[in-house]
Amino acid sequence: MSHLQEPACQSQVGRQERCAQTECNARGLSPRLSKVNFFTLLSLWMELFPNNEQKAIQRRKNGLVVVYNSKIIGLHCSSAELHAGQIAVVKHGSKMKDCDLYFSRKPCSTCLKMVLNAGVNRISYWPGDPEISLVDDYVMNNCNSDAKLDAKAVERLKSNSRSRICTLLQPLAYDMLQFVEETSKKCEFLQSIVTLNRDFKLEDFFTECRRNRLQEFEKLFLISNSETHKEILKTIGLENVCDDIHFTNLRHKMEDLVFLLATVDCSVPEYGTFRFYCDDSDKACDEHTNDEFQKFARHCMVQARLLAYRTEDQKIGVGAVIWAEGKSNNCDGTGARYLIGCGYNAYPMGSEYADYPQLDEKQQKDREARKFRYIVHAEQNALTFRCQDIKDEEKTMIFVTKCPCDECVPLINNAGIKQIYTGDLDAGKVKADISYQKFSGLQGVRKFTWQEAPTNSIITSSVHTTHSSHDLLCTSQLRFYL
């Protein structure tokens, strides 16, 4: 069975997206990130998962999102020993049957034959440089390289596969990039900094940070030379998108997604001096004094920020992701850490628009006609649709873009989650119909939020940063507090 033809596929997707945009604009709703683009962005972000062992990998790293019935059941990335596709088979086995896989690189023949044999439904991959890199071959004009031989093997596997293997990028909703930029600047982490530093120029910092991030991501995910990109697409079986119109359209979608990812990345700033502190002492917790853990925590918070753009709440997007840390490292590039579940705030499954109220307290005076009692919170969805059980003997962490409310705090506490990472601007407050008073008094669960570090508890960090604006931020002695 041949692979899905790209022009027909993209045109169909385009029609669906335009209809969604028209409907969205008619309702006056905020733009929303499609499932396909969300899974694609998450696979790109997983390729950047912070793990010191990754430095030993000579091939291109691959990020992978495993989806079953629209539910994420696995987030993986290449390790020093195994490719992402191999890791997925080891981790999930026969559970991969009828799953959709989203790769940040086209998988090599070693991975492809295994995931195809597992009976997956569809394999989608980023239309750039594949896992076994072809870029160097075209620069060196190498006609008989392992990469090109592998590309031919992949094409043969694809042509004889029952699974659909394709690239699938959808155009972003109207004003999506502008919406992401505006909401990223309003992120609670950045707002905390502005509150503590009146002289802090948020616009300048954000612009410089994104410029650096964008350069980094473009170098990693895009092929700057258009002709080289076309040759690589032809080699990996995408000749049908190399015509000028289709190719320009494809490049535009790729550039938009990379720009969006860079923007979201900047919403959770990276400092060279932040550390985690305990409420009951001035000492940093041992597990949080290493740079690798801090980078992991930040990586998960960006995952939650991406989830927030899948919200069905037209005003406030909230994302939550739950990770656990096992007793020993496993085959995954994520080390001992593995995904438990993720979610965003939305109305109950199966409901349609206008089934429930859409307005908040500023738009509707009648409390009975407000939306708050009907929206399922991000933390609740993350727990409901988790793909793994929470084990009491393991450290389980939830990363939430907003402070958990009184409705969610007891759920987090009783689910066995050990640590909460969140923005805390609403902690201790009552806002309209939502109370955040239980969060501050939560017992038995350690809480991590942005705070100003005491002057007698400064710890020098070895984290290296490339952004000159960070020098200004370091002087403010911002830290993560426990």
Side-chain angles (χ1 to χ4, degrees):
M1 184 175 181
S2 62
H3 69 286
L4 189 61
Q5 294 298 312
E6 189 68 23
C9 179
Q10 287 196 349
S11 61
Q12 180 181 2
V13 169
R15 287 195 298 272
Q16 293 174 349
E17 192 72 11
R18 284 193 295 272
C19 291
Q21 289 180 28
T22 302
E23 185 180 7
C24 181
N25 293 338
R27 300 175 190 166
L29 304 180
S30 301
R32 188 185 186 197
L33 196 61
S34 69
K35 286 183 181 179
V36 167
N37 282 343
F38 167 68
F39 295 143
T40 299
L41 286 167
L42 199 52
S43 72
L44 297 180
W45 187 242
M46 280 305 299
E47 185 174 307
L48 301 173
F49 190 91
N51 190 328
N52 294 331
E53 295 180 359
Q54 301 288 312
K55 296 177 182 178
I57 299 177
Q58 298 299 318
R59 64 184 180 276
R60 294 275 189 173
K61 290 195 297 181
N62 210 343
L64 173 59
V65 180
V66 183
V67 180
Y68 181 73
N69 282 344
S70 297
K71 182 181 79 171
I72 297 175
I73 65 171
L75 295 177
H76 309 290
C77 65
S78 304
S79 69
E81 295 182 346
L82 296 179
H83 300 201
Q86 294 174 306
I87 289 169
V89 173
V90 171
K91 298 279 287 186
H92 303 287
S94 60
K95 293 180 182 179
M96 292 181 66
K97 183 176 174 58
D98 297 328
C99 286
D100 294 336
L101 307 185
Y102 291 81
F103 285 92
S104 66
R105 308 274 171 184
K106 188 171 186 179
C108 67
S109 59
T110 302
C111 292
L112 188 58
K113 64 185 179 184
M114 293 184 68
V115 296
L116 289 175
N117 196 49
V120 299
N121 174 56
R122 185 178 67 192
I123 298 171
S124 177
Y125 58 92
W126 181 254
D129 195 22
E131 185 174 25
I132 306 298
S133 178
L134 287 164
V135 168
D136 294 337
D137 293 338
Y138 284 102
V139 173
M140 302 298 294
N141 197 24
N142 189 346
C143 299
N144 296 306
S145 68
D146 289 340
K148 289 186 178 179
L149 291 174
D150 189 78
K152 291 180 180 179
V154 167
E155 284 305 294
R156 190 164 185 174
L157 285 165
K158 181 172 68 173
S159 63
N160 291 286
S161 170
R162 296 179 180 179
S163 303
R164 291 175 291 170
I165 305 174
C166 62
T167 62
L168 185 59
L169 304 181
Q170 296 179 345
L172 293 175
Y174 177 73
D175 281 348
M176 187 73 201
L177 291 176
Q178 179 182 350
F179 176 72
V180 171
E181 179 173 349
E182 292 173 352
T183 50
S184 293
K185 291 178 181 178
K186 295 177 182 178
C187 178
E188 292 196 352
F189 300 107
L190 291 176
Q191 292 303 311
S192 297
I193 300 169
V194 174
T195 302
L196 293 170
N197 301 269
R198 296 181 180 179
D199 296 331
F200 176 67
K201 304 296 183 182
L202 175 60
E203 187 70 33
D204 294 341
F205 166 77
F206 193 87
T207 300
E208 181 183 353
C209 180
R210 183 168 61 183
R211 184 186 301 113
N212 284 278
R213 286 284 189 270
L214 192 56
Q215 290 176 354
E216 177 185 344
F217 290 172
E218 286 178 342
K219 183 178 180 180
L220 187 62
F221 299 122
L222 301 178
I223 301 172
S224 58
N225 186 289
S226 297
E227 293 305 315
T228 301
H229 192 189
K230 284 184 180 181
E231 290 301 319
I232 289 176
L233 291 177
K234 291 176 182 177
T235 304
I236 63 177
L238 294 177
E239 302 92 341
N240 47 7
V241 296
C242 291
D243 294 338
D244 289 341
I245 296 178
H246 292 134
F247 181 71
T248 301
N249 185 31
L250 180 67
R251 293 273 292 189
H252 180 69
K253 292 175 184 176
M254 294 174 70
E255 290 166 357
D256 280 352
L257 287 174
V258 170
F259 186 87
L260 188 149
L261 184 61
T263 304
V264 176
D265 185 17
C266 292
S267 66
V268 186
E270 185 176 13
Y271 304 124
T273 58
F274 75 83
R275 280 294 184 268
F276 301 97
Y277 286 81
C278 301
D279 285 339
D280 56 354
S281 70
D282 292 333
K283 297 180 180 179
C285 296
D286 292 340
E287 60 193 282
H288 298 109
T289 56
N290 65 83
D291 298 339
E292 187 272 333
F293 187 89
Q294 294 180 17
K295 292 176 182 177
F296 160 74
R298 181 183 178 279
H299 187 275
C300 294
M301 192 60 71
V302 174
Q303 291 177 356
R305 292 283 299 150
L306 285 170
L307 277 159
Y309 292 108
R310 284 285 301 144
T311 182
E312 291 182 354
D313 186 339
Q314 58 179 298
K315 188 174 181 181
I316 300 176
V318 182
V321 60
I322 306 172
W323 282 76
E325 185 171 314
K327 298 299 182 181
S328 60
N329 288 345
N330 54 40
C331 65
D332 207 332
T334 59
R337 301 176 186 119
Y338 61 93
L339 178 75
I340 294 291
C342 55
Y344 52 87
N345 52 333
Y347 291 96
M349 287 186 63
S351 60
E352 297 180 358
Y353 182 76
D355 281 352
Y356 299 106
Q358 305 291 315
L359 305 181
D360 59 19
E361 79 284 358
K362 295 181 180 179
Q363 301 163 308
Q364 177 59 257
K365 294 183 179 180
D366 182 4
R367 293 185 63 189
E368 187 177 346
R370 296 175 187 170
K371 64 184 179 181
F372 300 115
R373 297 182 185 276
Y374 304 100
I375 292 178
V376 184
H377 297 191
E379 303 94 317
Q380 296 166 1
N381 274 320
L383 288 168
T384 301
F385 298 106
R386 63 184 184 271
C387 56
Q388 303 279 351
D389 291 331
I390 296 176
K391 302 175 182 178
D392 291 336
E393 69 274 14
E394 295 183 349
K395 179 177 66 179
T396 307
M397 303 156 279
I398 185 169
F399 302 84
V400 193
T401 57
K402 283 181 62 67
C403 176
C405 68
D406 292 355
E407 192 175 316
C408 294
V409 165
L411 291 172
I412 295 172
N413 188 27
N414 287 277
I417 293 174
K418 305 294 193 300
Q419 297 174 354
I420 300 176
Y421 297 78
T422 182
D424 70 335
L425 292 184
D426 293 330
K429 299 179 181 178
V430 177
K431 302 179 67 176
D433 293 342
I434 301 181
S435 173
Y436 299 91
Q437 293 181 321
K438 291 183 180 180
F439 179 73
S440 299
L442 184 62
Q443 301 295 322
V445 180
R446 290 179 290 179
K447 306 179 293 296
F448 297 83
T449 53
W450 283 106
Q451 298 285 344
E452 184 176 7
T455 56
N456 62 344
S457 302
I458 301 174
I459 298 179
T460 303
S461 170
S462 59
V463 177
H464 175 70
T465 179
T466 58
H467 306 303
S468 60
S469 293
H470 290 183
D471 295 336
L472 171 63
L473 299 180
C474 291
T475 60
S476 65
Q477 300 172 0
L478 293 176
R479 300 292 190 273
F480 255 130
Y481 249 51
L482 172 60

